[in-house]
Amino acid sequence: MSKIRMLARILPLACTLALPGAAAAVDSTEAVAVVATIKPVHSIAAAVMAGVGVPDLLVPGSASPHTFALKPSAARAVHRARLFVRIGPEVEPFTERLVASLPADVAIVTLTETPGLRLLPLREGAGFEPHVHGTGHGSAGHTDARTTHDGHGHAEDGRIDGHIWLDPDNARAMARHLAGVLARIYPDKASVFDANVARFEAEVEAASSEIDSALAPIRGRPFITFHDAYHYFEHRFGLSALGSLSLSPEIPTGARRISAVRATISRLGEVCVFGEPQHGASLLKAVVSGTPARLGSLDPIGGDIPQGAQHYVRMLRGVAAGLSGCLGSLKGKAG
């Protein structure tokens, strides 16, 4: 049974939430008040809700969900919502206290509990630093994929990698799940939600095929990421990072880890090291200084891409383009 806390009672709302980007429902006298945490989640919700309403975005594109601090005004807005959608505490630790405080008439969807989801454990080894328990970035010791059936599929030790949206197959499962939840809240719109999901799935499938072809020439080339956010993308598209610089964005990178990454670079002679717009630009420059490493950038949430229904597909293509742009310059070198 999925841990979705459904509405104890349905209360009509006269307007959408007072968050940036709020908009009135298109064809209903009642607003569809949905709040999503990060841009990829917001995009999936926006695609499912097209023609019915517009979700509100909680975490601005320039902010990291790992370190985001919720303002009281935003928390009050979520308390007035009909539905709150998040990935889970692995990615958005700030939501734990928020969810515990929400009234019973706010439905909550934690997307890591989506039925049919492919879940991967947090990894270590092969250059990945052992993870610290309790941070949302614990260790798993293996990389076997598991698929949820009842919404509770996890790694054997219970610690999963929360960056689930970077597998497009997971995004399709999440869209179907959201459509089902929304249809229970707004049953008269169920057929619209279903049609929107079919359209979203077709768009994601087309983008996935394009990305498969685009990444084929650079599979096997070595790269290091700022933090281990791309496990799902690698698993889906046949790539494999050598390791990550940071345990997690919440924990400062120590001198030992920096030395280990520089040693890896020296051993390989040429490698791509990818930063993120939200984290660590100065640290990465210091790490690659005086080495043959090439510096690239990846954004797992698409912070600079405008929010909305098309954001998700554009974000996927952006990650693929970032990888191809740097790895394509390594002259065919395999890791």
Side-chain angles (χ1 to χ4, degrees):
M1 178 69 66
S2 176
K3 296 180 181 177
I4 302 171
R5 189 172 66 193
M6 294 306 301
L7 299 173
R9 55 196 176 103
I10 297 178
L11 297 177
L13 296 179
C15 60
T16 52
L17 304 179
L19 288 174
V26 174
D27 61 350
S28 175
T29 57
E30 179 185 348
V32 180
V34 176
V35 179
T37 49
I38 60 175
K39 274 189 168 181
V41 174
H42 177 272
S43 180
I44 295 169
V48 174
M49 294 168 60
V52 177
V54 180
D56 293 317
L57 177 65
L58 190 59
V59 180
S62 60
S64 167
H66 296 286
T67 56
F68 182 71
L70 188 68
K71 293 181 179 179
S73 59
R76 288 192 294 270
V78 179
H79 277 67
R80 297 195 298 271
R82 298 284 293 275
L83 177 65
F84 177 55
V85 188
R86 64 174 181 166
I87 293 294
E90 300 86 0
V91 170
E92 308 128 332
F94 73 91
T95 63
E96 291 194 86
R97 291 180 63 184
L98 175 62
V99 164
S101 71
L102 290 177
D105 61 353
V106 179
I108 300 164
V109 170
T110 298
L111 289 170
T112 52
E113 298 170 350
T114 299
L117 206 68
R118 177 184 292 125
L119 296 176
L120 299 175
L122 285 155
R123 58 187 174 181
E124 61 178 274
F128 286 95
E129 192 81 24
H131 293 278
V132 176
H133 297 272
T135 66
H137 286 264
S139 63
H142 59 83
T143 57
D144 294 337
R146 296 179 178 272
T147 302
T148 62
H149 298 285
D150 60 356
H152 296 279
H154 294 272
E156 288 180 354
D157 58 8
R159 293 188 302 278
I160 64 168
D161 184 333
H163 301 86
I164 54 175
W165 68 91
L166 285 165
D167 182 336
D169 294 338
N170 280 349
R172 294 162 63 188
M174 290 187 283
R176 292 192 296 270
H177 183 48
L178 275 178
V181 174
L182 285 165
R184 289 195 287 275
I185 301 173
Y186 302 96
D188 60 321
K189 305 297 183 185
S191 62
V192 179
F193 298 141
D194 287 343
N196 287 342
V197 168
R199 185 180 305 110
F200 176 77
E201 289 196 80
E203 291 174 355
V204 170
E205 181 61 28
S208 298
S209 296
E210 293 173 14
I211 292 170
D212 267 321
S213 298
L215 295 180
I218 54 100
R219 289 191 177 104
R221 300 187 189 182
F223 66 99
I224 295 167
T225 60
F226 173 74
H227 85 290
D228 191 18
Y230 306 95
H231 194 181
Y232 288 92
F233 193 92
E234 297 166 39
H235 190 274
R236 169 61 182 79
F237 293 108
L239 305 172
S240 183
L242 295 172
S244 60
L245 181 62
S246 174
L247 286 168
S248 80
E250 304 98 318
I251 303 173
T253 302
R256 176 182 291 183
R257 186 68 194 135
I258 292 172
S259 296
V261 171
R262 286 181 64 87
T264 298
I265 293 170
S266 296
R267 175 174 57 83
L268 292 171
E270 192 176 37
V271 65
C272 284
V273 180
F274 291 100
E276 297 174 13
Q278 298 87 4
H279 307 291
S282 58
L283 176 61
L284 284 169
K285 288 179 181 178
V287 168
V288 302
S289 178
T291 77
R294 297 171 187 253
L295 196 58
S297 181
L298 301 174
D299 188 348
I301 60 173
D304 292 335
I305 299 171
Q307 67 190 57
Q310 293 301 311
H311 170 277
Y312 180 77
V313 166
R314 293 183 63 188
M315 179 275 301
L316 279 183
R317 290 189 170 113
V319 172
L323 288 163
S324 296
C326 186
L327 293 172
S329 68
L330 299 186
K331 300 175 183 177
K333 186 172 183 176

